């Protein structure tokens, strides 16, 4: 899957392969609006977003999406060592 196709898919579904799901206001925008847009409209939104300058904090050296991976073990997120939410 190429970058623009993957980005349009994220705008329409909130899912990005190998990343987390959209939450909060982004999930609401997808649920109530973006999932109903045509592929042409999603491409136009993506074109506009790519024309904008990114907002970065001073000292950021890598893109936000490179700051980690989605968690695979829900129990460890809650501080319960040795437990796994995924059955072996």
């Amino acid at each position: 899957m190429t970058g623009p196709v993957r980005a349009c898919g994220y705008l329409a579904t909130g899912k990005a392969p190998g990343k987390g799901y959209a939450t909060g206001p982004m999930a609401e925008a997808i649920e109530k609006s973006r999932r109903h847009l045509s592929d042409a409209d999603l491409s136009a939104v993506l074109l506009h977003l790519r024309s904008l300058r990114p907002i970065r904090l001073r000292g950021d050296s890598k893109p936000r999406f490179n700051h980690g991976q989605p968690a695979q073990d829900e129990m460890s997120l809650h501080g319960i060592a040795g437990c796994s939410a995924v059955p072996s």
Side-chain angles (χ1 to χ4, degrees):
M1 192 178 295
T2 61
V5 171
R6 186 173 48 220
C8 283
Y10 176 75
L11 289 176
T13 67
K15 298 175 188 173
K19 307 290 181 193
Y21 292 92
T23 62
M26 183 64 173
E28 183 178 2
I30 291 166
E31 176 65 28
K32 294 184 177 182
S33 176
R34 293 192 182 124
R35 70 185 184 105
H36 302 289
L37 296 177
S38 69
D39 289 344
D41 288 338
L42 287 168
S43 293
V45 169
L46 183 59
L47 183 65
H48 169 70
L49 291 173
R50 288 192 168 161
S51 74
L52 302 174
R53 291 184 55 161
I55 299 172
R56 292 202 171 107
L57 297 175
R58 213 177 297 209
D60 278 352
S61 60
K62 60 183 177 179
R64 182 170 292 200
F65 61 82
N66 282 343
H67 282 273
Q69 298 297 320
Q72 300 298 319
D73 186 357
E74 182 180 352
M75 299 307 278
S76 70
L77 293 173
H78 295 287
I80 303 171
C83 294
S84 177
V86 180
S88 300

